[in-house]
């Protein structure tokens, strides 16, 4: 664990962090006020016609992002710690990592 992360780690209820200190999972008690949550993790932020960057299943290890326009939302829950799963107009399926402004 990184030095200085102890207090954040205990606040989040033993949530694992990546090398940048970002939360990979949302603690149930903090899921609506999690300061590490990204906008691509919330279904309310994603809609058809929106330009986004997603990570495809085969690109998860490399982290390569694919840009496109959302056709369908595939995740039913209101939040997902790894990003909302979408189908792009090109037919590619992946999890939203960024919303292109």
């Amino acid at each position: 664990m990184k030095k200085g992360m102890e207090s954040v780690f205990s606040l989040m209820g033993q949530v694992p962090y990546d090398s940048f200190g970002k939360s990979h999972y949302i603690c149930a008690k903090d899921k609506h006020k999690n300061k590490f949550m990204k906008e691509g993790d919330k279904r309310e932020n994603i809609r058809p016609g929106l330009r986004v960057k997603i990570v495809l299943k085969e690109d998860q290890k490399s982290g390569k992002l694919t840009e496109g326009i959302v056709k369908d939302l595939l995740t039913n829950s209101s939040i997902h710690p790894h990003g909302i799963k979408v189908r792009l107009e090109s037919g590619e399926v992946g999890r939203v990592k960024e919303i292109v402004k």
Side-chain angles (χ1 to χ4, degrees), residues 44-68:
E44 67 188 37
N45 296 334
I46 314 296
R47 63 185 185 285
L50 192 66
R51 182 169 292 279
V52 296
K53 291 184 181 179
I54 64 169
V55 65
L56 303 172
K57 184 77 170 177
E58 58 268 20
D59 295 333
Q60 284 178 339
K61 286 186 180 180
S62 69
K64 178 185 167 210
L65 298 177
T66 303
E67 189 170 323

Side-chain angles (χ1 to χ4, degrees), residues 74-98:
L74 304 176
T75 299
N76 290 324
S77 62
S78 62
I79 57 171
H80 193 283
H82 301 294
I84 300 298
K85 189 180 281 187
V86 297
R87 180 180 294 115
L88 301 179
E89 289 181 349
S90 63
E92 296 169 303
V93 174
R95 295 198 179 273
V96 176
K97 296 299 175 185
E98 295 178 28

Side-chain angles (χ1 to χ4, degrees), residues 8-46:
V8 175
F9 198 73
S10 63
L11 283 175
M12 296 305 296
Q14 304 300 313
V15 178
Y17 288 84
D18 65 13
S19 59
F20 300 107
K22 299 283 184 175
S23 171
H24 282 289
Y25 302 101
I26 297 170
C27 181
K29 65 181 179 182
D30 294 329
K31 72 180 181 180
H32 295 293
K33 51 187 171 181
N34 186 334
K35 58 187 165 196
F36 298 109
M37 186 179 287
K38 299 173 292 297
E39 58 186 7
D41 295 346
K42 294 182 182 179
R43 196 173 199 276
E44 67 188 37
N45 296 334
I46 314 296

